[in-house]
Amino acid sequence: MTTKKSERGLCELYQDDPAHADWVVFGRVGHRDRRGFLKGAGLATMGTIVGASIPFSRTMPTGLIPEALAQDKKGFVIEGKEGMTVHNDRPINAETPAHLLDPDLTPIKHFFVRNNGLVPDKAAKPDAWEIAIDGEVNTPFKITLADLKKQFTNITIQSQLECAGNGRAGFNPPARGNQWTVGAVGNARWTGVRLADVLKKAGLKSSAVYTGNEGADPHLSRDPKRLSISRGVPIKKALDPDTLIVWEMNGEPLPLIHGGPVRVLAPGWPGSCSQKWLTRIRLRDKEHDGPGMTGVSYRVPAFPVAPSTKVANSDMKVIESMPVKSVITFPRSGTKVSATAPLTVRGHAWAGDRAVREMHVSVDFGATWQKADLKPAANNHAWQRWSAEIRLPQKGYYEVWARATDAQGMSQPVVIPGWNPRGYLNNSCHRISVTAA
Ligand SMILES: Nc1nc2c(c(=O)[nH]1)N[C@H]1C(S)=C(S)[C@@H](COP(=O)(O)O)O[C@H]1N2
Ligand SMILES: [Mo]
């Protein structure tokens, strides 16, 4: 049993603790069902993973790592998340291939997953789930999800959610952590209540300057005294009308893997501010100092540093609004097209708390840029659709590059932006390849 928090591969996990590996891969239900041998949902999932039914499943021992998986992790699939790129199984982390981000609303089955700890048990009675509001408030209280829904105005907004580490794979020297490429982002429709309304009921003391969120996900070490992650936001962001406590995603009850039954949504800020499996919001009289708030976590140097620089903790500042960014969702990278026909390329753009003002594409490695059509957001904090018609002058290999510019005039860099110890905020231009015949 490890007590140190670490992120490990599937094979390693199965070697150390096969029964636990099953639990991670198949979830608690799957594990209980197996009782020594593959059955039910676990069996079906395993069948999907290896690409065929398993005639001798009755004699397949618990925790046996299928040879098909031992070869490489490519076949590894999270139930209900087919088509995703899985970076890690403990904790579960998976990103969306760019072409699957094409719809305006990212379907739940293709929405990225970023867990720091283990997935808690599914709540038997979601409406009885309790959230505590305490700390620097006049009237601390606990409220069930049922009462939360009843007592406060229900709000539905679209919002993008992006992991601060999205793009980490681009940094050199590499930064430790999930090697996200472009798909640790999605845009969903969320229903909940304004955090501001809930805080008003508790009555903020003048000493309240920050929130501190807690969730029910067990720490990887399974030490009940340790939190997997506990982040928060300054009061100003907590009172933003788009900062919500949500229980619905795309019109469905918030799925367990996305924090169901209830989570925070702090739009435009690092995804880590949007606490899943929310159990408590503690108002703090200083910047919150829970796991994930201190040291180099979700922080970048307060000034530019050379790659590999060892930065003192006191020189690291908390990431707030995320930077301007975009993704090309059509065509899929590697597509073969006709050299003469016009080709429509499209995608989405977003810019943390700000709007995107302009969008450009280039097919000549950035030598010239053509303005793309850019739609307004469905509401603040939702991503914006862009599209452009391009022409590839002759046969050959091309790259399409996309570059967004936000309302303050900040553009995406073409090269990888400032190196930082944990590899956050890589908002460089997304590129795809197309071959014209
Ligand atoms: N309780 C809890 N909340 C959490 C996390 C977590 O590990 N535990 N991960 C955070 C991070 S780092 C991100 S990017 C988002 C990801 O949300 P998603 O898995 O629904 O895409 O959840 C955040 N909320
Ligand atoms: Mo994240």
Side-chain angles (χ1 to χ4, degrees):
M1 159 84 55
T2 43
T3 49
K4 206 177 134 276
K5 177 170 167 168
S6 61
E7 297 182 339
R8 304 178 309 163
L10 187 67
C11 299
E12 205 187 331
L13 179 60
Y14 266 95
Q15 259 161 28
D16 279 5
D17 186 351
H20 173 61
D22 276 355
W23 183 82
V24 169
V25 175
F26 300 108
R28 288 198 174 169
V29 177
H31 176 46
R32 267 196 221 110
D33 280 352
R34 273 184 86 168
R35 287 200 195 91
F37 296 107
L38 274 171
K39 281 186 201 160
L43 176 58
T45 313
M46 184 70 93
T48 314
I49 291 173
V50 300
S53 65
I54 306 171
F56 289 122
S57 59
R58 220 176 52 77
T59 52
M60 187 177 188
T62 299
L64 176 79
I65 181 162
E67 180 57 18
L69 283 187
Q71 298 305 323
D72 69 309
K73 255 170 50 172
K74 287 219 181 69
F76 183 58
V77 172
I78 298 169
E79 205 176 341
K81 292 280 179 187
E82 288 72 19
M84 305 283 284
T85 306
V86 179
H87 288 292
N88 237 301
D89 39 79
R90 184 181 196 258
I92 295 171
N93 286 294
E95 75 170 271
T96 317
H99 68 282
L100 295 181
L101 288 174
D102 195 43
D104 288 341
L105 285 183
T106 312
I108 287 169
K109 66 174 190 231
H110 291 148
F111 204 97
F112 83 99
V113 179
R114 200 293 183 240
N115 289 340
N116 289 267
L118 301 168
V119 178
D121 273 329
K122 198 171 174 73
K125 294 193 182 119
D127 274 346
W129 185 274
E130 275 194 329
I131 302 164
I133 311 291
D134 58 20
E136 305 296 312
V137 293
N138 297 320
T139 325
F141 65 90
K142 279 189 178 166
I143 188 164
T144 62
L145 178 53
D147 286 340
L148 195 77
K149 290 175 179 175
K150 265 186 277 174
Q151 288 182 21
F152 303 97
T153 308
N154 290 199
I155 311 275
T156 298
I157 60 165
Q158 277 190 36
S159 171
Q160 49 88 8
L161 182 74
E162 183 180 20
C163 183
N166 195 22
R168 178 175 292 128
F171 284 105
N172 196 11
R176 193 171 68 80
N178 289 303
Q179 295 302 301
W180 306 115
T181 63
V182 292
V185 64
N187 187 67
R189 189 189 292 124
W190 311 88
T191 298
V193 295
R194 291 195 173 111
L195 178 56
D197 292 348
V198 176
L199 296 182
K200 199 183 290 165
K201 175 177 159 141
L204 288 179
K205 289 187 177 169
S206 57
S207 51
V209 298
Y210 227 91
T211 58
N213 304 321
E214 294 182 14
D217 44 335
H219 189 269
L220 288 180
S221 66
R222 293 157 172 269
D223 178 346
K225 291 189 293 291
R226 297 180 70 181
L227 296 168
S228 294
I229 187 168
S230 173
R231 305 206 62 238
V233 294
I235 286 302
K236 184 164 184 278
K237 179 66 178 173
L239 297 179
D240 182 304
D242 284 349
T243 300
L244 309 179
I245 301 177
V246 300
W247 58 82
E248 259 182 35
M249 184 177 184
N250 292 350
E252 286 180 37
L254 186 65
L256 178 67
I257 206 161
H258 293 296
V262 60
R263 77 181 297 174
V264 171
L265 177 73
W269 285 40
S272 53
C273 300
S274 293
Q275 191 84 26
K276 305 199 273 190
W277 309 291
L278 182 68
T279 53
R280 180 184 186 199
I281 297 182
R282 177 180 164 211
L283 279 299
R284 306 297 315 268
D285 60 5
K286 56 176 185 179
E287 189 174 271
H288 184 49
D289 52 4
M293 285 302 304
T294 56
V296 293
S297 296
Y298 303 105
R299 286 173 181 250
V300 289
F303 44 83
V305 299
S308 292
T309 305
K310 177 97 189 71
V311 186
N313 284 348
S314 54
D315 286 333
M316 301 290 291
K317 66 165 201 305
V318 178
I319 300 167
E320 301 198 330
S321 174
M322 294 285 285
V324 61
K325 200 157 173 179
S326 61
V327 66
I328 305 165
T329 60
F330 184 89
R332 186 178 181 162
S333 190
T335 297
K336 291 188 172 51
V337 298
S338 152
T340 46
L343 173 66
T344 299
V345 297
R346 62 171 184 259
H348 310 285
W350 61 98
D353 281 336
R354 296 172 306 282
V356 178
R357 188 171 74 192
E358 276 182 349
M359 190 70 214
H360 290 86
V361 295
S362 174
V363 295
D364 54 10
F365 305 98
T368 61
W369 293 87
Q370 156 189 347
K371 199 164 174 180
D373 178 60
L374 177 69
K375 296 265 180 297
N379 51 252
N380 287 344
H381 290 118
W383 66 17
Q384 292 168 240
R385 165 67 74 187
W386 63 265
S387 65
E389 196 180 277
I390 60 167
R391 264 168 214 276
L392 305 174
Q394 60 182 84
K395 69 175 186 175
Y397 172 89
Y398 296 86
E399 291 188 7
V400 180
W401 294 7
R403 190 185 72 195
T405 304
D406 73 17
Q408 285 173 358
M410 296 288 282
S411 292
Q412 293 182 257
V414 170
V415 295
I416 308 287
W419 184 90
N420 60 88
R422 289 300 302 276
Y424 298 120
L425 308 185
N426 176 5
N427 67 333
S428 58
C429 292
H430 184 210
R431 313 148 46 187
I432 61 160
S433 70
V434 283
T435 312

